[in-house]
Amino acid sequence: DTGVSQNPRHKITKRGQNVTFRCDPISEHNRLYWYRQTLGQGPEFLTYFQNEAQLEKSRLLSDRFSAERPKGSFSTLEIQRTEQGDSAMYLCASSLEALRTEAFFGQGTRLTVV
Amino acid sequence: AQRVTQPEKLLSVFKGAPVELKCNYSYSGSPELFWYVQYSRQRLQLLLRHISRESIKGFTADLNKGETSFHLKKPFAQEEDSAMYYCALKEYGNKLVFGAGTILRVKS
């Protein structure tokens, strides 16, 4: 599968622990997006990168969340001091910076905070 | 704020019946709209976009700026169309604003 890859696929953690997710985009894509999806809702935008620069962060992204894309390739999303409300599916997508290009999504990382 | 509304959580139809999945949006500029689909145990994928004005898997969607709608239609539903469908609006920076989604269930 040469699409967007996310690891791990599932993560169960205790409240208060830190977690980190990884996203490997399609190799030639310079834009990378993180979304969060809770039960019964569509994906909600969290942040996006163009190459290694983080260009926008949603107000949904509290101080406990941090995302990086150090070399403009893969990205990590870290959540510190997890809370039960962080339980969700975290989706990564990538695209080219060009008009009329589509975003390709990964299969997501499902986080459960107990 | 930009919003996308999909009023139906679930739409259940019989095989061969017409399908219409509703989507309404609010956007201050010139909107670019999409339909994404998620089949069981698969990732979210693009179904179609309004600027292409194409038919994919028999589905079409017309942007109606007067009614701020982008409904997804198919004249004859097939069982393999059963999936979750999301309407989405593209914002600045190519990020997407999604509706809550509609489950389409096609019964035999």
Side-chain angles (χ1 to χ4, degrees):
Chain A
D1 187 354
T2 55
V4 178
S5 175
Q6 290 188 247
N7 288 289
R9 295 288 307 280
H10 303 274
K11 177 72 177 177
I12 300 174
T13 191
K14 290 185 178 179
R15 191 173 48 190
Q17 298 293 305
N18 299 343
V19 294
T20 300
F21 311 141
R22 177 177 169 126
C23 171
D24 287 89
I26 293 171
S27 58
E28 64 268 26
H29 285 182
N30 56 355
R31 286 197 171 173
L32 186 149
Y33 308 82
W34 285 99
Y35 290 83
R36 180 172 67 187
Q37 185 173 22
T38 52
L39 199 62
Q41 299 297 320
E44 294 175 292
F45 169 78
L46 292 178
T47 187
Y48 90 96
F49 293 84
Q50 183 164 306
N51 301 311
E52 65 275 10
Q54 188 173 18
L55 296 188
E56 187 172 344
K57 293 192 289 187
S58 162
R59 55 183 170 78
L60 293 175
L61 213 64
S62 77
D63 291 345
R64 297 184 296 105
F65 287 69
S66 61
E68 294 184 342
R69 195 182 182 197
K71 296 181 181 177
S73 57
F74 73 91
S75 175
T76 57
L77 178 68
E78 182 184 15
I79 309 174
Q80 296 182 324
R81 305 181 303 282
T82 51
E83 300 172 357
Q84 285 191 318
D86 297 332
S87 296
M89 176 73 86
Y90 290 84
L91 296 169
C92 177
S94 70
S95 74
L96 286 169
E97 181 202 356
L99 287 176
R100 299 177 183 160
T101 57
E102 69 176 276
F104 290 83
F105 282 81
Q107 292 188 293
T109 294
R110 180 167 295 285
L111 173 66
T112 303
V113 181
V114 298
Chain B
Q2 277 50 276
R3 288 183 60 86
V4 177
T5 304
Q6 293 180 250
E8 301 141 329
K9 288 272 188 204
L10 171 67
L11 183 64
S12 190
V13 301
F14 283 102
K15 178 180 163 183
V19 171
E20 183 178 47
L21 299 171
K22 292 185 166 50
C23 172
N24 288 90
Y25 67 90
S26 63
Y27 189 64
S28 53
S30 186
E32 189 172 349
L33 287 143
F34 303 82
W35 278 97
Y36 277 80
V37 60
Q38 188 166 26
Y39 300 103
S40 179
R41 302 183 188 281
Q42 294 188 27
R43 66 188 68 199
L44 199 58
Q45 59 187 281
L46 179 67
L47 179 62
L48 55 78
R49 68 187 84 188
H50 89 272
I51 54 173
S52 301
R53 302 184 67 81
E54 57 197 343
S55 173
I56 304 291
K57 300 184 179 182
F59 285 97
T60 58
D62 291 319
L63 178 62
N64 185 325
K65 291 186 180 180
E67 295 182 357
T68 59
S69 68
F70 187 56
H71 303 328
L72 183 68
K73 299 177 184 179
K74 184 169 182 176
F76 308 105
Q78 299 173 295
E79 287 182 73
E80 54 265 34
D81 296 328
S82 295
M84 174 70 94
Y85 290 80
Y86 293 99
C87 183
L89 173 71
K90 182 184 280 190
E91 286 195 322
Y92 173 76
N94 281 1
K95 62 184 187 287
L96 296 167
V97 176
F98 286 88
T102 300
I103 299 170
L104 175 63
R105 191 169 295 154
V106 181
K107 300 175 288 189
S108 57

